Amino acid sequence: MNGDLVSFIIAAYNEEDFIIECVESCLNQTYKNIEIVITDDGSTDSTWSLLKNNYSANNKVKLLRFHKNQKKIAAFNNSFRHANGEFVAIMGADDINYFDRL
């Protein structure tokens, strides 16, 4: 665990219409010591491509993927297992944060 780091954990399945806004709302927090851990749960739309194209070079974002749908709880658990934060914030892939949530 990393002191004072907050890990946003996200499980995403076919969220191409919402995932970018969700991730951006995490990245744009006034509190900056964050990481975002996303497990794509075998999406069949462009969710995975959007994530890779937009965030693969961002060191605050960890991208994980199931090649076959495992369901939401398995995807959240996978994100949680890869999180390093002292605190965890659970995000729906179709949700957004206020800039000062943390």
Side-chain angles (χ1 to χ4, degrees):
M1 297 289 175
N2 192 340
D4 297 327
L5 178 69
V6 176
S7 299
F8 285 100
I9 62 169
I10 301 171
Y13 178 73
N14 290 347
E15 295 289 354
E16 66 187 5
D17 293 336
F18 306 104
I19 194 65
I20 298 299
E21 191 174 6
C22 173
V23 175
E24 290 299 316
S25 78
C26 296
L27 288 170
N28 291 325
Q29 291 294 294
T30 54
Y31 185 83
K32 298 298 184 190
N33 192 15
I34 64 161
E35 69 173 355
I36 304 161
V37 185
I38 307 165
T39 298
D40 178 86
D41 191 17
S43 292
T44 57
D45 66 359
S46 64
T47 300
W48 181 246
S49 333
L50 287 168
L51 288 169
K52 282 188 57 154
N53 291 339
N54 287 281
Y55 302 108
S56 60
N58 188 321
N59 64 356
K60 289 189 177 277
V61 181
K62 289 183 187 176
L63 300 176
L64 310 163
R65 184 180 191 195
F66 293 154
H67 290 284
K68 179 182 169 206
N69 184 264
Q70 304 285 319
K71 304 297 181 199
K72 188 181 286 190
I73 298 303
F76 270 124
N77 285 340
N78 190 60
S79 291
F80 182 75
R81 273 192 298 278
H82 288 88
N84 293 308
E86 182 176 352
F87 304 100
V88 172
I90 299 171
M91 283 294 296
D94 60 351
D95 289 340
I96 58 171
N97 295 297
Y98 286 109
F99 68 95
D100 61 350
R101 175 181 177 188
L102 303 179

